[in-house]
Every structure is written in structure tokens, then in C-alpha cells.
């Protein structure tokens, strides 16, 4: 005796033209120029490195949630230092755009890391600069010209 399943198997329907209320659920690229794959953040970074700087806006929109998450965390954890140095949330967001530009500039595909990793490191450095925290220890031996120069007037 063979049992047969009565469940219907759903088949994939072909992608139809997106109109009206269905547009809001899909990325803009899908319905503006036919069926097109949305670009990843890494692809945006490579295009920007090649000179297409108009894509900064789209990359900012893609990375905005991550940037706001780091900015809120920074403001909350360093609220006293931010208040003492006069740093507001808007200042943090503006400096985040500078960090995004630096992350795009330093991004290298060969290393295998995501752009968000580069962005996180740049955000930490920029945020620490905002509140006046040194990120590196200055070694006096590395900044002196000669070692045989006397220190005082003696």
C-alpha cells in the first residue's frame, strides 16, 4: 500500500512587473531599470574608488543604521565627555560621514574583510578624536630630531 501526500507543492511564480503598493517592499533598483540585482556595500565602495562619487548617497543610506547604532552607543557611553567638550549628536553624525569616506578610501578587496569592518574602525577613531581622547601614545624618542642635543640651557 502506497501513501500519497495530499499537500500541494507551490511553484515559484515568475517575477512580474512591480506596480503600485508592491513597490515599497522591494529595492528601488528592481523596479526602475527592469530586474537588476541590488549592489552590495563593497561594490559601492569599489565604484566610488573608481571615481563614481555620486554613489556616496546610496552607500550612506545602506550604512545609516550601522552608523546611527555606533553613534548612539558612543553618545550614551561617553555622555559626560561629550557634554564637557560640547559634542552633540549632530556632530557625531557629521564626523561619521568623514569616517565613511575614509573607510571607502582604505577598503581593499584582497584582504577579505567587509566594508562594515573598515567603517567600524574608522568610526571609533573619529569619535575618539571628537572628545579629545588620544588613540596612540606619543613616544618622545620618535619625534626628536637628534639624541645628542642637550635638554636644558646648561
Amino acid at each position: 500500500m502506497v501513501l500519497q501526500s495530499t499537500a500541494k507543492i507551490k511553484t515559484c511564480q515568475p517575477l512580474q512587473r512591480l506596480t503600485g503598493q508592491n513597490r515599497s517592499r522591494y529595492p528601488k533598483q528592481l523596479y526602475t531599470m527592469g530586474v537588476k540585482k541590488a549592489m552590495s556595500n563593497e561594490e559601492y565602495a569599489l565604484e566610488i574608488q573608481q571615481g563614481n562619487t555620486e554613489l556616496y548617497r546610496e552607500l550612506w543610506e545602506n550604512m545609516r543604521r550601522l552608523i546611527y547604532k555606533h553613534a548612539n552607543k558612543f553618545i550614551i557611553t561617553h555622555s559626560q565627555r561629550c557634554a564637557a567638550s560640547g559634542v552633540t549628536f549632530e556632530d557625531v553624525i557629521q564626523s561619521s560621514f568623514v569616517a565613511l569616506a575614509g573607510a571607502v578610501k582604505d577598503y581593499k578587496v584582497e584582504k577579505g574583510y567587509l566594508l562594515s569592518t573598515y567603517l567600524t574602525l574608522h568610526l571609533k577613531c573619529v569619535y575618539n578624536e571628537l572628545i579629545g581622547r588620544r588613540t596612540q601614545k606619543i613616544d618622545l624618542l620618535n619625534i626628536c630630531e637628534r639624541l645628542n642635543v642637550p635638554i636644558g640651557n646648561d
Side-chain angles (χ1 to χ4, degrees):
M1 175 182 240
V2 177
L3 296 175
Q4 293 184 354
S5 174
T6 58
K8 293 182 180 178
I9 299 174
K10 291 186 177 181
T11 58
C12 295
Q13 299 294 325
L15 184 62
Q16 298 174 0
R17 185 178 171 108
L18 302 174
T19 58
Q21 59 187 332
N22 291 336
R23 281 188 173 190
S24 62
R25 295 188 310 170
Y26 297 99
K28 184 177 180 181
Q29 291 88 358
L30 281 177
Y31 59 86
T32 55
M33 300 182 70
V35 178
K36 181 181 175 185
K37 181 183 164 221
M39 291 175 65
S40 68
N41 296 331
E42 290 75 23
E43 291 170 339
Y44 276 121
L46 291 175
E47 286 289 324
I48 291 169
Q49 286 176 353
Q50 292 173 0
N52 191 359
T53 57
E54 291 113 20
L55 294 176
Y56 267 118
R57 178 169 284 153
E58 286 87 6
L59 183 60
W60 174 263
E61 288 300 317
N62 286 351
M63 303 294 274
R64 187 177 53 169
R65 291 183 69 190
L66 177 69
I67 290 170
Y68 274 72
K69 176 186 147 195
H70 283 290
N72 283 329
K73 184 177 177 184
F74 175 77
I75 289 289
I76 290 170
T77 55
H78 299 94
S79 59
Q80 291 178 346
R81 295 210 50 175
C82 288
S85 57
V87 174
T88 63
F89 185 74
E90 290 79 22
D91 297 332
V92 174
I93 295 300
Q94 286 179 357
S95 62
S96 299
F97 190 78
V98 174
L100 178 64
V104 167
K105 184 179 129 190
D106 291 344
Y107 176 69
K108 292 181 180 52
V109 181
E110 305 87 39
K111 292 191 176 183
Y113 298 112
L114 295 175
L115 180 65
S116 59
T117 305
Y118 285 89
L119 178 62
T120 303
L121 294 174
H122 279 271
L123 286 174
K124 287 180 182 179
C125 291
V126 168
Y127 293 165
N128 285 329
E129 287 177 13
L130 274 177
I131 59 174
R133 182 187 294 170
R134 278 194 202 152
T135 57
Q136 296 177 352
K137 184 179 178 183
I138 297 175
D139 189 8
L140 296 177
L141 292 177
N142 290 334
I143 61 171
C144 68
E145 294 177 13
R146 297 180 299 199
L147 292 176
N148 60 356
V149 175
I151 294 175
N153 292 332
D154 300 337

